[in-house]
Amino acid sequence: MVTGPTSGIGRAYALRLASLGYDLVLVARDQQRLDALSDELSRRFDTRSQVLRADLAEAADRDRVAARLGEGVEFLVNNAGFGLSGEFWTVDPVQLQAQLDVNVTAVLHLTRAALPPMIAAAKGSVVNVASVAGLVPGRGSTYSASKAYVVSLCEGLAGGLAGTGVRVQALCPGFVHTEFHDRAGIEKSSIPKRMWLDVEQVVAGSLRDLDADRVVSVPGAQYKVLTTVAGMIPRSLQVRMNRAMFNARNRT
Ligand SMILES: NC(=O)c1ccc[n+]([C@@H]2O[C@H](COP(=O)([O-])OP(=O)(O)OC[C@H]3O[C@@H](n4cnc5c(N)ncnc54)[C@H](OP(=O)(O)O)[C@@H]3O)[C@@H](O)[C@H]2O)c1
């Protein structure tokens, strides 16, 4: 199962898994794009896909997706997620709650639903898409907080799952060319070219790290360096440096 496969990282993950022979369950809101992807996967890779239209900000939809996971899947990619622009104190609280529900609640419930059949089968993989923003304090507040939750959840779970045959990963990309920034209304022109990754690079890095049993996957040499160096600096200093170096306004 891949959530959010209608564009960006999720679409690349779905294509890659189909190319490896997996039949897929595709979960997102855009029915047309879901159907088009399902057709493309069957044409290109001869795989069968189940389309589950769901808004993961809605509890009833999350429950339907969780029920499907309870029947068992081999591989779950909790990828659906979004950012917001605007100041925390001016953004509509309904939007803030929806972001928390998609970026965190859905990841929590769907991971919880997927694990029992995987553990029973002694085999399975859960990739939860977090972000470099979840590792290093940066611009923004609720987005980084939601991704820090995902990192922490996976790190904790990895310990508990040791020896079960089930792998869990927090995939932490930096800037990736997708629809993410346009959807969020985030200005991209100030981001240096060398900091951009493409979706295939992110998926390849994730799969390599799964094979290596690496729980936190940071694709791209530039981000490996950045997160390693940041990890050596005390958190309080990171926060102060971040305040001095970046304009943290207009991001949530
Ligand atoms: N792009 C980056 O720079 C970057 C960096 C680090 C981490 N990430 C993370 O990577 C993940 C994928 O983002 P992306 O960059 O590939 O962005 P994207 O191109 O905007 O794709 C987002 C996907 O999530 C789905 N989605 C969004 N809200 C949803 C909802 N309420 N219910 C169900 N599906 C929903 C969208 O499908 P529908 O619109 O069809 O529902 C779409 O398929 C996110 O978790 C994001 O936080 C992105």
Side-chain angles (χ1 to χ4, degrees):
M1 177 183 290
V2 180
T3 70
T6 50
S7 75
I9 298 168
R11 179 179 154 75
Y13 229 120
L15 286 166
R16 184 66 190 273
L17 290 177
S19 79
L20 296 172
Y22 285 95
D23 292 325
L24 290 175
V25 186
L26 306 169
V27 179
R29 294 165 300 179
D30 188 325
Q31 183 79 49
Q32 263 188 336
R33 284 174 122 184
L34 286 167
D35 290 340
L37 178 61
S38 166
D39 288 347
E40 182 180 348
L41 297 181
S42 119
R43 220 178 32 251
R44 288 178 61 183
F45 307 109
D46 199 23
T47 55
R48 284 170 302 127
S49 303
Q50 180 185 352
V51 165
L52 258 185
R53 206 205 78 79
D55 181 344
L56 294 173
E58 300 291 332
D61 284 14
R62 286 194 299 272
D63 288 347
R64 276 193 300 116
V65 179
R68 173 62 189 85
L69 287 166
E71 295 168 21
V73 300
E74 283 178 62
F75 205 120
L76 168 63
V77 186
N78 273 313
N79 160 79
F82 66 95
L84 293 166
S85 52
E87 303 291 3
F88 171 75
W89 52 92
T90 59
V91 174
D92 182 350
V94 173
Q95 270 193 304
L96 293 175
Q97 186 63 51
Q99 185 189 50
L100 187 63
D101 288 339
V102 176
N103 291 13
V104 172
T105 312
V107 175
L108 168 72
H109 283 273
L110 302 191
T111 303
R112 171 65 183 83
L115 285 179
M118 287 184 181
I119 292 167
K123 186 171 176 252
S125 304
V126 177
V127 172
N128 290 329
V129 183
S131 170
V132 164
L135 296 172
V136 179
R139 300 170 62 182
S141 54
T142 55
Y143 181 74
S144 306
S146 73
K147 296 304 186 181
Y149 177 97
V150 174
V151 172
S152 204
L153 172 72
C154 294
E155 286 174 334
L157 268 179
L161 287 169
T164 62
V166 180
R167 304 174 295 185
V168 64
Q169 178 187 93
L171 171 57
C172 297
F175 294 113
V176 192
H177 291 293
T178 67
E179 295 177 11
F180 178 91
H181 300 89
D182 290 339
R183 286 189 198 229
I186 294 170
E187 168 52 91
K188 294 181 288 190
S189 59
S190 60
I191 303 164
K193 267 208 178 84
R194 65 179 178 284
M195 297 314 281
W196 286 97
L197 303 170
D198 61 43
V199 289
E200 288 77 18
Q201 203 180 347
V202 171
V203 173
S206 168
L207 290 173
R208 248 194 326 270
D209 285 338
L210 257 191
D211 281 344
D213 252 336
R214 205 161 285 132
V215 177
V216 176
S217 172
V218 180
Q222 66 277 57
Y223 288 106
K224 287 186 184 20
V225 172
L226 189 150
T227 53
T228 304
V229 171
M232 295 171 185
I233 302 172
R235 186 87 179 175
S236 57
L237 185 56
Q238 284 184 41
V239 173
R240 266 192 290 152
M241 284 170 65
N242 178 54
R243 210 179 299 159
M245 282 159 56
F246 302 109
N247 172 13
R249 298 307 292 268
N250 209 29
R251 292 282 286 271
T252 40

